[in-house]
Amino acid sequence: TLGATPRMMMKHDEHFTYKRLNWAARMAERRGARIMGLGAFTSVVGDAGITIAHEADIAVTSGNSLTVAATLEAAKMAVKMMGATDLTKGKVMIVGATGSIASVCSRLLAQAIHDVVLVSIEPEKLIELKRTIQEETPGAKVTIATKTGDLVADCDLIVTATSAFGQRVIDLTKCKPGAVICDVARPMDISPLEAALRPDLLVIESGEVLIPGDVDFGYDFGLPPKTAYACLGETALLAMDGRFEDYTLGRNINTERVKELWHIFKKHDFQIAGLRSFGEYISEEDVAQKRALAELLREDPARLAEVKVEAGEKLKDSPVMAQGVRASN
Protein backbone atom coordinates (compact mmCIF):
# COMPACT_ATOMS: atom_id res chain seq x y z
CA THR A 1 0.00 0.00 0.00
CA LEU A 2 1.02 3.61 -0.50
CA GLY A 3 1.17 5.48 2.79
CA ALA A 4 -0.27 8.76 1.57
CA THR A 5 -3.73 10.28 1.52
CA PRO A 6 -5.20 11.91 -1.61
CA ARG A 7 -4.64 15.35 -0.08
CA MET A 8 -0.96 14.53 0.59
CA MET A 9 -0.51 13.35 -3.01
CA MET A 10 -2.11 16.52 -4.38
CA LYS A 11 0.19 18.72 -2.29
CA HIS A 12 3.29 17.26 -3.98
CA ASP A 13 4.19 16.97 -7.64
CA GLU A 14 3.55 13.64 -9.31
CA HIS A 15 7.14 12.44 -8.82
CA PHE A 16 6.43 12.17 -5.08
CA THR A 17 3.87 9.48 -5.88
CA TYR A 18 5.81 7.96 -8.80
CA LYS A 19 8.81 7.28 -6.56
CA ARG A 20 6.71 5.42 -4.01
CA LEU A 21 4.84 3.45 -6.65
CA ASN A 22 8.17 2.38 -8.17
CA TRP A 23 9.23 1.12 -4.76
CA ALA A 24 5.97 -0.81 -4.51
CA ALA A 25 6.45 -2.33 -7.98
CA ARG A 26 9.97 -3.55 -7.09
CA MET A 27 8.76 -4.99 -3.78
CA ALA A 28 5.87 -6.74 -5.55
CA GLU A 29 8.19 -8.21 -8.19
CA ARG A 30 10.54 -9.61 -5.54
CA ARG A 31 7.55 -11.39 -4.00
CA GLY A 32 6.57 -12.97 -7.31
CA ALA A 33 3.87 -10.58 -8.52
CA ARG A 34 3.56 -10.19 -12.29
CA ILE A 35 1.02 -7.37 -12.41
CA MET A 36 0.32 -4.32 -10.23
CA GLY A 37 -2.92 -2.36 -10.07
CA LEU A 38 -3.06 1.35 -9.28
CA GLY A 39 -5.97 1.51 -6.89
CA ALA A 40 -8.02 4.53 -5.84
CA PHE A 41 -6.20 7.87 -6.06
CA THR A 42 -2.88 6.48 -7.31
CA SER A 43 -4.45 6.13 -10.76
CA VAL A 44 -5.48 9.81 -10.72
CA VAL A 45 -2.05 11.29 -10.08
CA GLY A 46 0.13 12.24 -13.04
CA ASP A 47 -0.38 10.40 -16.32
CA ALA A 48 -2.57 7.57 -14.95
CA GLY A 49 0.05 4.84 -14.94
CA ILE A 50 2.00 5.45 -18.16
CA THR A 51 5.21 6.55 -16.43
CA ILE A 52 4.96 3.83 -13.79
CA ALA A 53 4.44 1.15 -16.44
CA HIS A 54 7.46 2.42 -18.38
CA GLU A 55 9.71 2.22 -15.33
CA ALA A 56 8.35 -0.98 -13.75
CA ASP A 57 9.52 -4.47 -14.75
CA ILE A 58 6.06 -5.97 -14.13
CA ALA A 59 2.77 -5.22 -15.86
CA VAL A 60 0.73 -2.26 -14.63
CA THR A 61 -2.96 -1.42 -14.96
CA SER A 62 -4.94 1.48 -13.54
CA GLY A 63 -8.02 -0.69 -13.04
CA ASN A 64 -10.14 1.92 -14.79
CA SER A 65 -11.58 -0.35 -17.50
CA LEU A 66 -13.37 -2.53 -14.97
CA THR A 67 -14.25 0.55 -12.93
CA VAL A 68 -16.13 1.85 -15.98
CA ALA A 69 -17.83 -1.47 -16.72
CA ALA A 70 -18.83 -2.06 -13.09
CA THR A 71 -20.06 1.51 -12.72
CA LEU A 72 -22.33 1.25 -15.75
CA GLU A 73 -23.67 -2.13 -14.67
CA ALA A 74 -24.35 -0.87 -11.12
CA ALA A 75 -26.06 2.24 -12.52
CA LYS A 76 -28.25 0.07 -14.74
CA MET A 77 -29.21 -2.10 -11.78
CA ALA A 78 -30.03 0.99 -9.70
CA VAL A 79 -32.28 2.73 -12.23
CA LYS A 80 -34.15 -0.54 -12.76
CA MET A 81 -34.62 -0.83 -9.00
CA MET A 82 -36.07 2.68 -9.01
CA GLY A 83 -38.67 1.69 -11.61
CA ALA A 84 -37.14 2.42 -15.01
CA THR A 85 -38.46 0.10 -17.72
CA ASP A 86 -36.98 1.57 -20.90
CA LEU A 87 -33.43 2.71 -20.26
CA THR A 88 -33.09 4.18 -23.75
CA LYS A 89 -35.59 6.95 -22.98
CA GLY A 90 -33.86 8.45 -19.98
CA LYS A 91 -31.45 11.34 -19.62
CA VAL A 92 -28.05 11.07 -17.96
CA MET A 93 -25.55 13.61 -16.63
CA ILE A 94 -21.84 12.91 -16.20
CA VAL A 95 -20.04 15.29 -13.83
CA GLY A 96 -16.31 15.55 -14.38
CA ALA A 97 -17.00 14.27 -17.88
CA THR A 98 -13.55 15.01 -19.30
CA GLY A 99 -11.77 12.80 -16.75
CA SER A 100 -10.36 9.44 -17.79
CA ILE A 101 -13.14 7.31 -16.29
CA ALA A 102 -15.99 9.74 -16.87
CA SER A 103 -15.15 10.40 -20.53
CA VAL A 104 -15.44 6.73 -21.52
CA CYS A 105 -18.56 6.42 -19.32
CA SER A 106 -19.99 9.34 -21.30
CA ARG A 107 -19.25 7.68 -24.64
CA LEU A 108 -20.75 4.33 -23.61
CA LEU A 109 -23.80 5.93 -21.95
CA ALA A 110 -24.44 7.95 -25.10
CA GLN A 111 -24.51 4.69 -27.07
CA ALA A 112 -27.14 3.30 -24.70
CA ILE A 113 -29.28 6.31 -23.79
CA HIS A 114 -28.66 8.91 -26.57
CA ASP A 115 -29.38 11.94 -24.32
CA VAL A 116 -26.40 13.01 -22.23
CA VAL A 117 -25.34 16.13 -20.33
CA LEU A 118 -21.58 16.52 -19.97
CA VAL A 119 -20.28 18.75 -17.17
CA SER A 120 -16.64 19.73 -16.72
CA ILE A 121 -14.53 22.75 -15.82
CA GLU A 122 -12.49 22.15 -19.00
CA PRO A 123 -14.53 23.66 -21.86
CA GLU A 124 -12.06 22.82 -24.64
CA LYS A 125 -12.02 19.14 -23.66
CA LEU A 126 -15.81 19.20 -23.35
CA ILE A 127 -16.17 20.36 -26.93
CA GLU A 128 -13.76 17.66 -28.08
CA LEU A 129 -15.65 14.98 -26.13
CA LYS A 130 -18.97 16.13 -27.58
CA ARG A 131 -17.52 15.88 -31.09
CA THR A 132 -16.21 12.36 -30.37
CA ILE A 133 -19.61 11.19 -29.10
CA GLN A 134 -21.45 12.62 -32.08
CA GLU A 135 -19.03 10.87 -34.45
CA GLU A 136 -19.36 7.54 -32.62
CA THR A 137 -23.10 7.78 -32.00
CA PRO A 138 -24.84 9.80 -34.72
CA GLY A 139 -28.16 11.15 -33.49
CA ALA A 140 -27.10 11.35 -29.85
CA LYS A 141 -28.21 14.54 -28.10
CA VAL A 142 -25.23 16.02 -26.24
CA THR A 143 -25.46 19.05 -23.94
CA ILE A 144 -22.29 20.51 -22.44
CA ALA A 145 -21.87 22.83 -19.45
CA THR A 146 -19.21 23.94 -16.97
CA LYS A 147 -21.65 23.75 -14.01
CA THR A 148 -24.47 21.35 -13.18
CA GLY A 149 -26.83 24.17 -12.21
CA ASP A 150 -30.48 23.53 -13.00
CA LEU A 151 -29.62 20.92 -15.65
CA VAL A 152 -29.86 18.20 -12.98
CA ALA A 153 -33.64 18.73 -12.77
CA ASP A 154 -34.28 16.65 -15.92
CA CYS A 155 -31.76 13.86 -15.37
CA ASP A 156 -32.77 10.32 -14.40
CA LEU A 157 -29.18 9.24 -13.75
CA ILE A 158 -26.18 11.28 -12.63
CA VAL A 159 -22.68 9.82 -12.66
CA THR A 160 -20.13 11.87 -10.75
CA ALA A 161 -16.42 11.11 -11.13
CA THR A 162 -14.43 14.18 -10.21
CA SER A 163 -11.16 14.86 -8.42
CA ALA A 164 -12.63 17.92 -6.73
CA PHE A 165 -11.60 18.81 -3.20
CA GLY A 166 -13.64 21.03 -0.90
CA GLN A 167 -16.30 21.84 -3.49
CA ARG A 168 -19.99 21.05 -3.85
CA VAL A 169 -19.97 18.93 -6.98
CA ILE A 170 -23.74 18.82 -7.42
CA ASP A 171 -26.77 20.39 -5.74
CA LEU A 172 -28.90 17.35 -4.95
CA THR A 173 -31.80 19.51 -3.80
CA LYS A 174 -32.53 20.39 -7.44
CA CYS A 175 -32.68 16.81 -8.69
CA LYS A 176 -35.59 15.06 -10.34
CA PRO A 177 -37.70 12.86 -7.99
CA GLY A 178 -36.39 9.31 -7.90
CA ALA A 179 -33.12 10.11 -9.67
CA VAL A 180 -30.11 7.83 -9.22
CA ILE A 181 -26.70 9.31 -8.41
CA CYS A 182 -23.76 6.97 -9.00
CA ASP A 183 -20.69 8.32 -7.20
CA VAL A 184 -17.54 6.92 -8.79
CA ALA A 185 -15.08 9.23 -7.00
CA ARG A 186 -12.86 7.79 -4.26
CA PRO A 187 -13.14 9.38 -1.75
CA MET A 188 -16.76 10.11 -2.66
CA ASP A 189 -18.03 13.41 -4.09
CA ILE A 190 -21.39 13.25 -2.29
CA SER A 191 -21.67 13.39 1.50
CA PRO A 192 -24.32 11.54 3.55
CA LEU A 193 -25.48 14.92 4.90
CA GLU A 194 -26.26 16.15 1.38
CA ALA A 195 -28.03 12.91 0.39
CA ALA A 196 -30.23 13.01 3.51
CA LEU A 197 -31.81 16.24 2.29
CA ARG A 198 -33.54 14.36 -0.55
CA PRO A 199 -34.57 10.91 0.72
CA ASP A 200 -36.35 10.18 -2.57
CA LEU A 201 -32.99 10.01 -4.39
CA LEU A 202 -30.86 6.87 -4.57
CA VAL A 203 -27.14 7.57 -4.11
CA ILE A 204 -24.98 4.54 -4.82
CA GLU A 205 -21.28 3.83 -4.76
CA SER A 206 -19.71 2.70 -8.02
CA GLY A 207 -19.98 -1.03 -8.57
CA GLU A 208 -17.84 -3.12 -6.28
CA VAL A 209 -17.20 -6.67 -7.44
CA LEU A 210 -17.33 -10.14 -5.90
CA ILE A 211 -14.24 -12.21 -6.68
CA PRO A 212 -14.99 -15.96 -6.84
CA GLY A 213 -13.21 -18.56 -4.74
CA ASP A 214 -11.67 -18.50 -1.29
CA VAL A 215 -10.50 -14.89 -1.23
CA ASP A 216 -8.37 -13.28 1.47
CA PHE A 217 -7.05 -9.81 0.65
CA GLY A 218 -4.91 -9.74 3.76
CA TYR A 219 -6.13 -6.21 4.39
CA ASP A 220 -9.42 -4.68 5.55
CA PHE A 221 -10.66 -2.24 2.92
CA GLY A 222 -13.85 -1.70 4.87
CA LEU A 223 -15.77 -3.88 2.40
CA PRO A 224 -17.58 -7.18 3.06
CA PRO A 225 -15.75 -10.52 2.51
CA LYS A 226 -14.73 -11.32 -1.09
CA THR A 227 -15.79 -7.81 -2.15
CA ALA A 228 -13.26 -5.60 -3.91
CA TYR A 229 -13.20 -2.23 -5.54
CA ALA A 230 -13.29 -2.62 -9.31
CA CYS A 231 -9.72 -1.33 -9.73
CA LEU A 232 -8.45 -4.18 -7.56
CA GLY A 233 -10.87 -6.53 -9.30
CA GLU A 234 -9.37 -5.71 -12.70
CA THR A 235 -5.88 -6.57 -11.48
CA ALA A 236 -7.07 -9.90 -10.06
CA LEU A 237 -9.10 -10.63 -13.19
CA LEU A 238 -6.16 -10.05 -15.54
CA ALA A 239 -3.99 -12.32 -13.38
CA MET A 240 -6.63 -15.06 -13.43
CA ASP A 241 -6.82 -14.82 -17.22
CA GLY A 242 -3.03 -14.88 -17.61
CA ARG A 243 -3.03 -11.38 -19.13
CA PHE A 244 0.21 -10.05 -17.65
CA GLU A 245 0.29 -6.90 -19.76
CA ASP A 246 -0.08 -3.15 -19.35
CA TYR A 247 -3.84 -3.18 -19.85
CA THR A 248 -5.44 0.14 -18.86
CA LEU A 249 -3.10 3.11 -18.85
CA GLY A 250 -3.43 6.85 -19.42
CA ARG A 251 -6.43 9.12 -19.67
CA ASN A 252 -7.83 7.76 -22.92
CA ILE A 253 -9.48 4.49 -21.95
CA ASN A 254 -10.31 2.27 -24.90
CA THR A 255 -14.04 1.47 -25.05
CA GLU A 256 -13.30 -1.87 -26.72
CA ARG A 257 -11.06 -2.84 -23.82
CA VAL A 258 -13.87 -2.02 -21.40
CA LYS A 259 -16.17 -4.35 -23.34
CA GLU A 260 -13.47 -7.04 -23.61
CA LEU A 261 -12.83 -6.93 -19.87
CA TRP A 262 -16.57 -7.28 -19.20
CA HIS A 263 -16.55 -10.53 -21.20
CA ILE A 264 -13.53 -11.76 -19.18
CA PHE A 265 -15.39 -10.70 -16.02
CA LYS A 266 -18.30 -13.00 -16.86
CA LYS A 267 -15.98 -15.77 -18.09
CA HIS A 268 -14.39 -16.06 -14.63
CA ASP A 269 -17.73 -15.81 -12.77
CA PHE A 270 -17.05 -12.45 -11.18
CA GLN A 271 -20.22 -10.65 -10.08
CA ILE A 272 -21.32 -7.14 -9.24
CA ALA A 273 -21.67 -6.93 -5.45
CA GLY A 274 -24.87 -5.77 -3.83
CA LEU A 275 -25.44 -2.05 -4.29
CA ARG A 276 -24.27 0.09 -1.39
CA SER A 277 -24.92 3.64 -0.25
CA PHE A 278 -22.39 5.24 2.10
CA GLY A 279 -21.05 1.87 3.15
CA GLU A 280 -24.42 0.21 3.77
CA TYR A 281 -26.16 -2.30 1.51
CA ILE A 282 -29.36 -1.02 -0.07
CA SER A 283 -32.34 -3.15 0.90
CA GLU A 284 -35.58 -3.72 -0.98
CA GLU A 285 -37.35 -1.79 1.78
CA ASP A 286 -35.05 1.21 1.26
CA VAL A 287 -35.79 1.24 -2.45
CA ALA A 288 -39.54 0.81 -1.90
CA GLN A 289 -39.61 3.84 0.39
CA LYS A 290 -37.65 5.96 -2.06
CA ARG A 291 -39.85 4.92 -4.98
CA ALA A 292 -43.04 5.71 -3.02
CA LEU A 293 -41.75 9.12 -1.98
CA ALA A 294 -40.58 9.90 -5.52
CA GLU A 295 -44.00 8.99 -6.91
CA LEU A 296 -45.71 11.31 -4.41
CA LEU A 297 -43.45 14.19 -5.44
CA ARG A 298 -44.00 13.54 -9.14
CA GLU A 299 -47.76 13.67 -8.63
CA ASP A 300 -47.64 16.84 -6.53
CA PRO A 301 -45.50 19.53 -8.21
CA ALA A 302 -46.34 22.05 -5.49
CA ARG A 303 -45.03 19.73 -2.79
CA LEU A 304 -41.92 19.02 -4.89
CA ALA A 305 -41.24 22.75 -5.11
CA GLU A 306 -41.60 23.06 -1.31
CA VAL A 307 -39.25 20.11 -0.74
CA LYS A 308 -36.63 21.65 -3.03
CA VAL A 309 -36.82 25.01 -1.24
CA GLU A 310 -36.66 23.44 2.23
CA ALA A 311 -33.74 21.22 1.23
CA GLY A 312 -31.99 24.17 -0.38
CA GLU A 313 -32.22 26.20 2.84
CA LYS A 314 -30.76 23.33 4.85
CA LEU A 315 -28.01 22.87 2.28
CA LYS A 316 -26.85 26.45 2.86
CA ASP A 317 -26.08 25.52 6.48
CA SER A 318 -24.20 22.33 5.63
CA PRO A 319 -20.45 22.34 4.95
CA VAL A 320 -19.27 22.58 1.36
CA MET A 321 -17.16 19.51 0.68
CA ALA A 322 -16.12 16.82 -1.79
CA GLN A 323 -13.76 13.85 -1.61
CA GLY A 324 -14.30 13.93 2.16
CA VAL A 325 -12.55 17.32 2.37
CA ARG A 326 -14.27 20.49 3.55
CA ALA A 327 -13.83 23.78 1.77
CA SER A 328 -11.09 25.96 3.25
CA ASN A 329 -9.40 29.24 2.54
Side-chain angles (χ1 to χ4, degrees):
T1 60
L2 185 65
T5 66
R7 175 176 266 180
M8 289 167 63
M9 286 187 248
M10 292 295 285
K11 282 184 177 179
H12 297 82
D13 66 27
E14 59 265 26
H15 296 288
F16 170 86
T17 302
Y18 288 168
K19 183 177 180 180
R20 284 152 182 79
L21 289 174
N22 284 330
W23 285 344
R26 288 195 293 272
M27 290 170 65
E29 184 183 14
R30 286 198 299 270
R31 286 160 174 76
R34 295 175 63 187
I35 186 167
M36 179 174 81
L38 302 179
F41 211 79
T42 58
S43 64
V44 175
V45 175
D47 54 18
I50 294 175
T51 297
I52 299 303
H54 178 72
E55 297 178 357
D57 291 325
I58 58 174
V60 174
T61 187
S62 68
N64 285 346
S65 288
L66 188 57
T67 297
V68 170
T71 294
L72 298 182
E73 185 65 18
K76 183 171 75 172
M77 291 166 60
V79 294
K80 284 184 175 180
M81 289 167 64
M82 289 297 286
T85 54
D86 186 350
L87 303 183
T88 65
K89 294 183 178 179
K91 186 173 187 177
V92 59
M93 172 183 284
I94 302 93
V95 187
T98 54
S100 59
I101 290 174
S103 60
V104 72
C105 280
S106 301
R107 292 162 61 192
L108 291 168
L109 283 166
Q111 292 176 16
I113 298 177
H114 303 295
D115 192 351
V116 296
V117 180
L118 312 178
V119 181
S120 172
I121 59 173
E122 302 174 299
E124 295 84 3
K125 291 184 178 180
L126 267 179
I127 294 169
E128 183 181 344
L129 179 59
K130 178 179 179 178
R131 187 179 298 116
T132 298
I133 289 174
Q134 290 175 329
E135 289 173 355
E136 291 178 341
T137 312
K141 180 181 178 183
V142 183
T143 304
I144 58 176
T146 55
K147 295 182 179 179
T148 57
D150 294 328
L151 291 169
V152 297
D154 296 324
C155 296
D156 304 282
L157 169 65
I158 300 166
V159 177
T160 172
T162 80
S163 300
F165 282 93
Q167 303 173 42
R168 179 156 288 132
V169 173
I170 182 173
D171 185 347
L172 297 188
T173 68
K174 297 180 179 180
C175 286
K176 184 177 184 177
V180 171
I181 295 91
C182 183
D183 194 337
V184 185
R186 288 296 175 274
M188 294 180 71
D189 280 331
I190 310 298
S191 72
L193 190 63
E194 291 174 296
L197 298 176
R198 284 291 302 274
D200 60 299
L201 305 179
L202 178 58
V203 180
I204 65 168
E205 301 170 13
S206 59
E208 282 84 45
V209 301
L210 290 172
I211 299 180
D214 185 14
V215 177
D216 178 8
F217 297 118
Y219 184 84
D220 183 4
F221 295 102
L223 297 175
K226 299 187 179 182
T227 305
Y229 291 115
C231 50
L232 189 156
E234 176 171 322
T235 315
L237 190 59
L238 291 169
M240 289 172 70
D241 207 51
R243 299 286 293 271
F244 300 109
E245 59 188 84
D246 297 335
Y247 195 85
T248 310
L249 296 175
R251 305 283 175 206
N252 298 317
I253 300 172
N254 188 308
T255 56
E256 294 307 313
R257 287 220 149 179
V258 174
K259 295 174 183 178
E260 178 189 39
L261 202 64
W262 185 245
H263 289 301
I264 299 173
F265 180 94
K266 292 189 285 188
K267 169 186 172 182
H268 289 284
D269 296 322
F270 276 54
Q271 296 179 14
I272 298 295
L275 298 185
R276 291 158 32 104
S277 182
F278 304 109
E280 301 292 333
Y281 280 112
I282 300 165
S283 68
E284 292 182 4
E285 290 76 16
D286 294 333
V287 175
Q289 290 177 0
K290 291 180 179 296
R291 286 183 63 170
L293 183 54
E295 188 60 32
L296 287 174
L297 294 177
R298 279 192 288 264
E299 293 177 353
D300 189 346
R303 177 57 186 152
L304 174 60
E306 291 175 5
V307 166
K308 287 184 175 182
V309 171
E310 291 170 4
E313 290 300 316
K314 292 179 181 177
L315 188 66
K316 292 178 183 178
D317 297 326
S318 64
V320 174
M321 63 189 300
Q323 302 272 320
V325 177
R326 293 192 180 200
S328 68
N329 294 326

